[in-house]
Amino acid sequence: MIADKCQSLIEVLLKDDDNKYCVDCDAKGPRWASWNLGIFLCIRCAGIHRNLGVHISKVKSVNLDAWKPEHVAYVQRMGNSRARAIYEANLPDDFRRPQTDTALESFIRAKYEQKKYIAQDYIDPGPPPPAFDIDDELKKMKDQKKNKVSGSGTSKTISSNPRPRPSEAPTLKEKATPNLLDLETIGGNDDLLIEVDTETTNQSTTTQLTYTSGLSLI
């Protein structure tokens, strides 16, 4: 989103060494800004800037208020270091920054309202171009979303891993069964014993066929 893009740019600017301190009182960790002046402020100085009026200073919270690309552009162009070089160009050498609220407000009004210490050769360059083009950013976001959706719909070929077929049972090799018709009857009351060897892969099976007396073979 546009607001997220602006927020990320502001956070990058806050990492600059001079932007880590309030431009007016040197308090550490400023979380406010006067976007039209392009400076970062502490909460106390931000309150004083509000009292100056929006024709002089337009105050925003760094993370609680919504920023636009044109607001970010002012802070990108100026920043605390350059702002001091411009608005404090003629400060006395022995100047010490005030710490009381009354003295601090007097200093801020003299600095921005009366422009008492401003560089003589400074000319306001006017509004800067936006930090980024909103239409281009929206187009990029739309393309990224489209590519993401397209990529998630890509089908993947899954190689099949079929279940192995069960191994076939080993073929039994049998000896030819003797033709009982070719055998002669053995003894009237004696049993007839025929032995057939069945040969398999791992074992030999012996089948005994017993015929009782009185079996007649034709």
Side-chain angles (χ1 to χ4, degrees), residues 91-158:
L91 275 178
D93 294 336
D94 60 347
F95 177 80
R96 297 184 64 182
R97 296 186 181 278
Q99 298 302 316
T100 65
D101 293 346
T102 302
L104 187 58
E105 182 171 0
S106 296
F107 168 65
I108 289 175
R109 287 188 178 276
K111 183 177 176 180
Y112 302 105
E113 189 176 49
Q114 302 164 17
K115 298 181 180 179
K116 183 177 180 180
Y117 313 112
I118 197 168
Q120 298 298 323
D121 57 349
Y122 175 70
I123 300 175
D124 188 349
F132 57 89
D133 188 273
I134 295 180
D135 292 335
D136 288 346
E137 193 66 22
L138 290 174
K139 186 177 182 299
K140 289 179 182 178
M141 293 170 61
K142 185 177 180 181
D143 291 342
Q144 289 175 355
K145 185 176 180 180
K146 184 178 179 181
N147 292 336
K148 185 176 181 180
V149 173
S150 176
S152 63
T154 303
S155 61
K156 296 182 179 180
T157 302
I158 302 176

Side-chain angles (χ1 to χ4, degrees), residues 8-200:
S8 64
L9 292 175
I10 291 296
E11 293 297 332
V12 170
L13 291 172
L14 282 169
K15 293 179 181 179
D16 183 83
D17 288 339
D18 285 331
N19 293 340
K20 293 179 180 179
Y21 299 89
C22 175
V23 69
D24 292 329
C25 71
D26 268 347
K28 188 176 181 179
R31 300 303 297 174
W32 294 82
S34 172
W35 65 262
N36 66 308
L37 294 176
I39 55 178
F40 291 103
L41 307 163
C42 68
I43 189 170
R44 181 170 65 155
C45 290
I48 297 174
H49 273 256
R50 286 187 186 278
N51 293 335
L52 297 178
V54 294
H55 63 291
I56 296 177
S57 184
K58 299 177 181 180
V59 180
K60 276 183 177 295
S61 169
V62 166
N63 59 327
L64 298 179
D65 293 324
W67 285 72
K68 296 181 179 180
E70 52 266 32
H71 301 159
V72 178
Y74 277 93
V75 188
Q76 285 180 325
R77 184 175 68 180
M78 183 66 73
N80 286 3
S81 180
R82 187 162 183 258
R84 283 186 173 182
I86 294 172
Y87 289 99
E88 299 178 3
N90 294 305
L91 275 178
D93 294 336
D94 60 347
F95 177 80
R96 297 184 64 182
R97 296 186 181 278
Q99 298 302 316
T100 65
D101 293 346
T102 302
L104 187 58
E105 182 171 0
S106 296
F107 168 65
I108 289 175
R109 287 188 178 276
K111 183 177 176 180
Y112 302 105
E113 189 176 49
Q114 302 164 17
K115 298 181 180 179
K116 183 177 180 180
Y117 313 112
I118 197 168
Q120 298 298 323
D121 57 349
Y122 175 70
I123 300 175
D124 188 349
F132 57 89
D133 188 273
I134 295 180
D135 292 335
D136 288 346
E137 193 66 22
L138 290 174
K139 186 177 182 299
K140 289 179 182 178
M141 293 170 61
K142 185 177 180 181
D143 291 342
Q144 289 175 355
K145 185 176 180 180
K146 184 178 179 181
N147 292 336
K148 185 176 181 180
V149 173
S150 176
S152 63
T154 303
S155 61
K156 296 182 179 180
T157 302
I158 302 176
S159 59
S160 60
N161 186 16
R163 181 180 298 177
R165 297 177 61 185
S167 58
E168 297 180 356
T171 304
L172 299 178
K173 296 181 180 180
E174 299 182 355
K175 290 184 179 181
T177 303
N179 190 346
L180 298 179
L181 298 179
D182 294 336
L183 297 176
E184 296 181 353
T185 303
I186 305 175
N189 294 326
D190 294 337
D191 293 337
L192 174 63
L193 177 62
I194 301 175
E195 185 177 68
V196 180
D197 291 335
T198 303
E199 188 179 73
T200 62

